Amino acid sequence: MIYEWLYNITGSSILSMFVVSLLPLFVFILPFALLAVLAERKVSAHMQDRLGPMRVGYHGILQTVADIIKLLQKEDLVPAATDKKLFNFAPLLVFAGSYAVFAAIPFSSIFIGSQIQLGIIYIVAVTGLVVAGILMAGWASNNKYSLLGAMRSAAQIISYEIPTLLIILTIIMITGTLSLYTLSELQTSYFWNWMILGGPATGLQKILYIPLMIIGCLVIYISTLAEVNRTPFDIPEAESELVSGYHTEYSGMKFAMFFLAEYANMFAVSAIVAIIFFGGYQSPFGYLGNAIGLHWLVPIEQFFWFTAKGLFFVFVQMWLRWTLPRFRVDQLMAFCWKYLIPISFVILLLAGLISLI
Amino acid sequence: MALKTEEMVLNMGPQHPSTHGVLRLELQLEGEIIKDVIPHIGYLHRCFEKHSEAMTYPQVIPYTDRMDYLASMYNEFGYALAMERLMGIEVPERVEYIRVIMGELQRIASHLVALGTYGADIGAFTPFLFCFRDRERILHLFEITCGARLLYNYIWIGGLSNDLHPDFIRLTKEFIKDFKPNLKELNDLLSFNAIFIERTADVGILPLETAINYGVTGPNLRASGMKWDLRKDDPYSVYNKFDYEIPVGSGEKGKIGDCWDRYFIRVREMEESLKIIEQAIEQIPDGDVKSAIPKRVKPPEGQIYTRVENPRGELGYFIISDGSLNPSRVKVRAPSFVTMQVFPELCKGFMVADVVAILGSIDIVLGEIDR
Amino acid sequence: MKTSEEILNILKDKFGDSIIELKSDKPIDSFVLAAPLEVDKICMFLRDNSDLQFDSLMNLSGVDDANGEKVKDNKGTETINGGTLSVWYHLESTKLKHKFTLKVSTERAKPEVTSVTEIWKCADWHEREAYDMYGIIFLNHPDLRRILMPYDWEHGYPLRKDYRNPEFYQGMKVPY
């Protein structure tokens, strides 16, 4: 583990802890957000028969850098009628919530921020902070659109956590572990060991698991999509109705914090889907490092596979966003309570029965 | 103890992404349910009617462009028609054909904006750009014809400002050929999308009786199930020489007169407009487009009300002449102005998100409401 | 389908004196002149009579006839005294496909016309516009406010022929 390695070198637990906790931010989240914002714009542009940003750098690759410089220069505007403390604190809370998720995500077998045994539950719990932050932002802005957005957002995130949790519960029941590291290790070697294809179970059990897992994967993907407020579930910030929802009043770096949190969240939920159903950092067909005897290559390959899977799901999110219209708030709730939750209960029940075979 | 509740007043606009300009809506909400809507208009009032009284008759034409800026050609068309009837001018046939072609191209362009922005209102941004891509081709056709892309000043009293560009016919044919598959793509992407239908069907239903009483015209009236189109029911120009259908709302996905019907009527109207253009291009005669333009526009004393089927409905011009060079009164019966009145009726009992859906479906242009 | 003469005869039978005359000397559109305070009853009849069925009000416009006495004061600004303001109603029957034009004229000094909003909802905003632009008071109108001009506009009715711009509006110089 990185932490032990650093501890051995520096001898200071505080310093190594500090470095480890900052690593995902600087090595991963910031570059990812830079890349993802650009990718979002390019993906949408090419889907819409246009080119997207083309001016800054070759094919506009420095566009987000320019945007960040612009945002840094902006005045930090706090409207007069806001609740100032909450208004300033909300973006921090939202960002902290989505950043803390990365602590428990195994990027590869040697790099996990913190090897918590309760990994999955920790992630689900810590995303709850985001709801508080959003509500805080909506309330403190003293703007009716923000308030409506925040209320919608809270209702939506809390509702969609239920199907997510039920599917996670199914997985816990099958595998008997709460740790994301152990879960990833269970799905090792080849892709037929991935949970989407029944996991490490064998024989009849495995065949019976497959349809359940595919449906479960869809359910969890849809509900995590709703949790990060992406189209078709982006009603909290529904641009054409609520202007920008809960972050209408924010500008400059505070807005950038929300923005960064959104993209960090996008990757976080994609990573969760990848870990639970698609083997996490495991390669689908063995490791090059093992084959040619360079064992230090394996973690790098794992990191590559993990990022590739995560990015693929992020790409699907973008793809959906630029294809689908948006639900209405009551339809969104109906979809969750009438379809997703019953389906996930049935999956939980059936998976329980199958595991008895 | 009962909880204390109160209605929330939400002020939507004049600066709001989906009020299609500078409309202000005062929404009275109970939670997210609409109790009442009060539209406030006038933010784009540019005194068209007062201006025209100070202008000579031909000078009014550029001002008509600026009313419904998405259908400028048709505004000019209506004004020119009214003046020709008032003065008894006989227009060469070629002029009539070109006017019809321009008018129908303009109808397609206007409907493309309506459908595209409607998609964007519902949350699908991609169809918006697809529609604008196609509209760009039409604007190019207008540009080669008269040099302007939005405000043309092309249709004059008794004629046109210039003849067609030599490439116009070829480019129009190419456009029609390319546009047909794009229309199908739009249907696949948006019209028959399950979420889109969910959002628009059974929302904002406009019953036929209400529609007529409120004076709703054009696609919105047809979506409510009445086959009423001035091109057929009160024919003007050469529209009776072409073979085309008048699409009527059928309540295919919900009830007759819901948002989806109003949306889909426009898609079908574009297909019919393409038919008209195809026929008109084949039949267009030769001639001089400027021969009938009067040297001095001085109509006799009298008054006239003339109406044409604008992309948004019945566009009427009421012109009173006192025998001088300036009109004594020009009143425009703007279709959006009249349609907007029925909007509060449509919204009651629906949600905030539906206000956007309904507003988009009746397709208003604020330039025309406020004039 | 009925012509204006036939419609006029039906109206004459029913209303007698409130219908003043048919004018068809000017080119194109002939119209019927009616009394301003009876127009709602006439319109109700026009809509509900089974031979007429004017179910649609195409257009309603206020007009300044500018037929009064023009007075110039010593600064050279012109005002019109006396004369009339008019309201034109363009009606249509979508079922029987005939059209009809009705005109009422009212005193410029005290312009009052009964509202037809109850008959055609469509008249609501048209009447508000006529009020806004000409100051014609529509009696029984449910909500007669300004519509295109600002609600706090106090400088007269802009489409009247003798309207002059105010010098200041809310402290802003008007011809700026």
Side-chain angles (χ1 to χ4, degrees):
Chain A
M1 295 294 155
I2 297 267
Y3 170 69
E4 279 86 17
W5 184 66
L6 280 170
Y7 184 67
N8 287 339
I9 293 175
T10 59
S12 153
S13 63
I14 295 172
L15 186 66
S16 40
M17 201 64 106
F18 190 70
V19 173
V20 168
S21 62
L22 283 181
L23 261 179
L25 180 68
F26 288 112
V27 175
F28 201 79
I29 302 177
L30 286 180
F32 166 74
L34 278 181
L35 187 90
V37 174
L38 181 70
E40 173 113 56
R41 297 177 70 170
K42 280 291 186 186
V43 166
S44 67
H46 285 279
M47 281 180 181
Q48 293 163 348
D49 255 16
R50 56 192 178 90
L51 292 169
M54 288 292 284
R55 295 293 171 91
V56 192
Y58 175 75
H59 272 247
I61 45 175
L62 295 175
Q63 182 65 43
T64 14
V65 179
D67 281 346
I68 285 186
I69 293 170
K70 178 200 74 178
L71 282 172
L72 279 171
Q73 291 171 2
K74 287 229 165 168
E75 185 189 352
D76 181 26
L77 205 69
V78 183
T82 51
D83 185 334
K84 300 223 166 32
K85 280 180 201 144
L86 293 184
F87 187 81
N88 290 329
F89 188 52
L92 290 176
L93 197 60
V94 170
F95 183 69
S98 44
Y99 178 39
V101 172
F102 283 81
I105 288 181
F107 286 89
S108 76
S109 56
I110 61 154
F111 182 44
I112 309 176
S114 164
Q115 244 227 60
I116 322 168
Q117 286 307 312
L118 288 170
I120 291 184
I121 301 296
Y122 165 79
I123 286 181
V124 173
V126 97
T127 41
L129 273 182
V130 178
V131 186
I134 287 174
L135 263 180
M136 215 181 255
W139 174 257
S141 295
N142 198 10
N143 174 324
K144 285 169 186 166
Y145 289 110
S146 301
L147 187 61
L148 278 177
M151 296 302 291
R152 285 177 174 192
S153 182
Q156 171 181 338
I157 294 178
I158 290 168
S159 308
Y160 275 85
E161 261 176 16
I162 300 170
T164 319
L165 264 175
L166 284 172
I167 298 296
I168 288 177
L169 207 60
T170 316
I171 301 296
I172 293 172
M173 198 170 65
I174 296 172
T175 59
T177 177
L178 288 169
S179 158
L180 289 170
Y181 175 70
T182 324
L183 191 60
S184 303
E185 284 300 313
L186 276 175
Q187 308 179 50
T188 186
S189 61
Y190 291 94
F191 62 87
W192 51 81
N193 282 339
W194 291 357
M195 284 310 289
I196 187 96
L197 295 175
T202 46
L204 179 64
Q205 223 178 8
K206 189 176 173 79
I207 293 165
L208 287 174
Y209 272 142
I210 290 175
L212 286 187
M213 288 300 117
I214 290 173
I215 299 170
C217 177
L218 281 176
V219 170
I220 208 169
Y221 193 72
I222 291 169
S223 42
T224 51
L225 207 59
E227 276 185 58
V228 292
N229 302 334
R230 297 281 297 181
T231 319
F233 307 105
D234 65 340
I235 57 158
E237 46 201 88
E239 190 208 339
S240 58
E241 297 149 28
L242 298 183
V243 191
S244 275
Y246 55 87
H247 55 67
T248 307
E249 297 285 350
Y250 285 88
S251 67
M253 271 326 275
K254 282 189 203 131
F255 166 74
M257 297 268 259
F258 281 115
F259 207 58
L260 202 61
E262 183 186 327
Y263 279 89
N265 256 333
M266 270 167 73
F267 188 81
V269 296
S270 306
I272 292 168
V273 173
I275 292 166
I276 294 177
F277 286 104
F278 294 90
Y281 52 74
Q282 303 289 359
S283 154
F285 16 71
Y287 293 104
L288 190 67
N290 282 339
I292 59 174
L294 295 171
H295 291 289
W296 54 267
L297 202 60
V298 173
I300 297 174
E301 278 183 60
Q302 287 175 334
F303 185 74
F304 164 77
W305 283 113
F306 182 76
T307 325
K309 287 171 193 171
L311 289 182
F312 172 75
F313 288 112
V314 170
F315 171 73
V316 176
Q317 287 182 349
M318 291 178 183
W319 185 3
L320 288 174
R321 172 164 181 184
W322 298 106
T323 310
L324 294 177
R326 175 187 306 127
F327 274 109
R328 199 171 60 207
V329 65
D330 58 325
Q331 291 163 346
L332 179 93
M333 287 301 174
F335 185 61
C336 178
W337 291 95
K338 285 190 189 154
Y339 300 101
L340 291 186
I341 292 181
I343 289 173
S344 26
F345 264 116
V346 169
I347 290 176
L348 180 66
L349 191 73
L350 288 181
L353 288 174
I354 295 169
S355 69
L356 291 178
I357 298 176
Chain B
M1 196 185 81
L3 273 173
K4 184 174 162 287
T5 59
E6 57 182 82
E7 284 183 4
M8 181 162 92
V9 177
L10 185 67
N11 194 30
M12 202 167 178
Q15 285 98 11
H16 186 277
S18 54
T19 51
H20 292 237
V22 282
L23 174 67
R24 181 176 148 221
L25 297 171
E26 199 180 313
L27 309 179
Q28 281 165 10
L29 302 178
E30 200 176 271
E32 283 211 29
I33 310 285
I34 309 286
K35 301 304 268 184
D36 201 4
V37 182
I38 305 168
H40 298 271
I41 63 171
Y43 292 90
L44 207 60
H45 182 48
R46 288 151 302 168
C47 322
F48 165 74
E49 288 165 9
K50 188 77 181 168
H51 268 306
S52 352
E53 290 173 15
M55 300 285 154
T56 62
Y57 288 95
Q59 281 176 335
V60 174
I61 291 178
Y63 284 87
T64 65
D65 279 341
R66 281 151 181 81
M67 284 191 309
D68 181 352
Y69 41 76
L70 295 178
S72 304
M73 281 291 184
Y74 236 101
N75 295 350
E76 296 167 1
F77 194 171
Y79 180 75
L81 206 66
M83 286 311 297
E84 283 149 16
R85 286 193 188 162
L86 188 61
M87 297 174 69
I89 297 173
E90 201 57 44
V91 178
E93 189 139 75
R94 182 176 174 83
V95 173
E96 299 278 24
Y97 271 90
I98 295 176
R99 283 181 183 181
V100 166
I101 293 171
M102 290 299 171
E104 293 309 307
L105 281 173
Q106 182 74 81
R107 189 185 308 277
I108 295 173
S110 169
H111 281 350
L112 279 174
V113 176
L115 303 180
T117 50
Y118 193 46
D121 285 347
I122 301 289
F125 201 72
T126 304
F128 173 74
L129 285 145
F130 281 10
C131 288
F132 270 64
R133 173 194 67 195
D134 295 332
R135 176 172 175 262
E136 205 59 27
R137 304 270 306 262
I138 298 178
L139 295 189
H140 179 67
L141 289 174
F142 289 152
E143 194 181 357
I144 60 168
T145 313
C146 63
R149 287 163 53 83
L150 202 62
L151 307 164
Y152 312 105
N153 192 11
Y154 179 60
I155 298 176
W156 286 356
I157 299 166
L160 303 166
S161 74
N162 22 37
D163 206 341
L164 292 179
H165 189 271
D167 281 346
F168 183 86
I169 302 285
R170 180 177 60 82
L171 288 172
T172 309
K173 279 180 180 161
E174 277 172 21
F175 165 72
I176 293 173
K177 203 172 114 247
D178 297 347
F179 183 57
K180 281 180 177 167
N182 288 350
L183 210 52
K184 193 179 167 298
E185 187 185 45
L186 177 71
N187 280 341
D188 291 344
L189 186 63
L190 190 64
S191 313
F192 297 110
N193 180 304
I195 300 178
F196 182 73
I197 291 171
E198 189 80 4
R199 277 295 303 276
T200 53
D202 284 328
V203 170
I205 298 153
L206 176 61
L208 185 56
E209 286 303 307
T210 319
I212 294 173
N213 199 255
Y214 272 95
V216 174
T217 46
N220 299 328
L221 179 65
R222 292 193 280 277
S224 292
M226 183 158 162
K227 203 164 188 164
W228 180 262
D229 189 317
L230 297 178
R231 290 175 292 174
K232 289 241 185 206
D233 287 290
D234 188 6
Y236 53 94
S237 196
V238 284
Y239 273 109
N240 47 14
K241 293 191 180 168
F242 307 117
D243 174 34
Y244 58 99
E245 290 295 310
I246 303 296
V248 177
S250 57
E252 206 177 312
K253 303 290 175 194
K255 294 198 182 69
I256 288 189
D258 59 9
C259 288
W260 195 85
D261 265 352
R262 283 196 287 275
Y263 163 87
F264 200 60
I265 278 285
R266 295 192 164 87
V267 177
R268 285 165 64 197
E269 268 184 22
M270 290 201 290
E271 289 166 4
E272 300 304 323
S273 293
L274 286 179
K275 278 190 205 165
I276 297 178
I277 298 169
E278 276 173 337
Q279 293 169 43
I281 283 181
E282 292 305 320
Q283 299 170 15
I284 190 166
D286 285 335
D288 181 8
V289 298
K290 288 187 175 183
S291 60
I293 298 178
K295 290 276 173 295
R296 206 161 91 104
V297 183
K298 194 174 178 186
E301 204 173 313
Q303 85 291 328
I304 188 163
Y305 178 76
T306 306
R307 51 195 192 148
V308 287
E309 183 74 25
N310 175 283
R312 274 166 200 82
E314 176 183 324
L315 174 74
Y317 283 94
F318 177 52
I319 299 173
I320 299 182
S321 151
D322 55 2
S324 69
L325 288 170
N326 306 340
S328 165
R329 169 82 168 119
V330 179
K331 154 96 184 180
V332 179
R333 185 249 194 236
S336 304
F337 179 79
V338 180
T339 313
M340 194 60 212
Q341 295 185 56
V342 83
F343 180 67
E345 292 291 314
L346 296 179
C347 285
K348 274 171 201 163
F350 290 102
M351 305 182 85
V352 177
D354 293 326
V355 170
V356 174
I358 295 168
L359 189 66
S361 76
I362 62 174
D363 184 26
I364 50 163
V365 166
L366 264 294
E368 186 181 61
I369 292 185
D370 296 342
R371 280 158 286 156
Chain C
M1 280 290 275
K2 283 195 167 22
T3 61
S4 294
E5 284 82 13
E6 288 165 338
I7 296 169
L8 178 78
N9 290 335
I10 297 175
L11 287 176
K12 275 264 192 220
D13 290 347
K14 171 85 182 166
F15 289 100
D17 295 344
S18 2
I19 301 296
I20 298 167
E21 57 185 318
L22 173 76
K23 292 200 175 185
S24 51
D25 50 332
K26 285 175 182 172
I28 319 297
D29 286 353
S30 56
F31 60 91
V32 167
L33 202 61
L37 297 181
E38 302 287 322
V39 68
D40 57 335
K41 293 187 196 104
I42 297 170
C43 286
M44 188 66 102
F45 176 74
L46 283 170
R47 187 190 72 177
D48 291 341
N49 186 296
S50 58
D51 286 340
L52 302 173
Q53 296 192 34
F54 284 104
D55 50 2
S56 161
L57 174 70
M58 292 190 286
N59 191 14
L60 185 155
S61 32
V63 172
D64 184 357
D65 296 326
N67 50 5
E69 177 196 358
K70 295 192 173 72
V71 186
K72 274 195 180 171
D73 64 10
N74 47 15
K75 283 179 196 158
T77 49
E78 197 177 81
T79 48
I80 300 177
N81 285 339
T84 54
L85 297 174
S86 313
V87 180
W88 292 71
Y89 302 83
H90 292 86
L91 313 179
E92 180 189 32
S93 167
T94 54
K95 298 192 181 78
L96 303 176
K97 301 208 172 174
H98 53 201
K99 292 187 237 170
F100 184 58
T101 309
L102 196 65
K103 178 188 176 183
V104 301
S105 286
T106 173
E107 295 280 311
R108 191 189 186 86
K110 194 183 174 226
E112 282 181 351
V113 179
T114 45
S115 166
V116 295
T117 308
E118 284 297 300
I119 303 158
W120 299 288
K121 289 275 175 50
C122 152
D124 184 352
W125 282 19
H126 283 304
E127 288 182 351
R128 276 176 70 187
E129 192 190 328
Y131 164 72
D132 195 4
M133 295 297 163
Y134 293 97
I136 300 168
I137 311 285
F138 289 89
L139 304 171
N140 307 330
H141 190 284
D143 182 27
L144 199 63
R145 286 176 295 145
R146 286 200 178 265
I147 183 163
L148 294 177
M149 302 295 286
Y151 293 127
D152 58 354
W153 188 258
E154 286 166 353
H155 306 283
Y157 303 102
L159 274 183
R160 287 194 182 186
K161 294 284 182 191
D162 57 349
Y163 168 80
R164 282 184 312 280
N165 276 334
E167 283 186 15
F168 288 96
Y169 170 61
Q170 294 195 338
M172 293 174 280
K173 198 162 183 307
V174 170
Y176 60 98

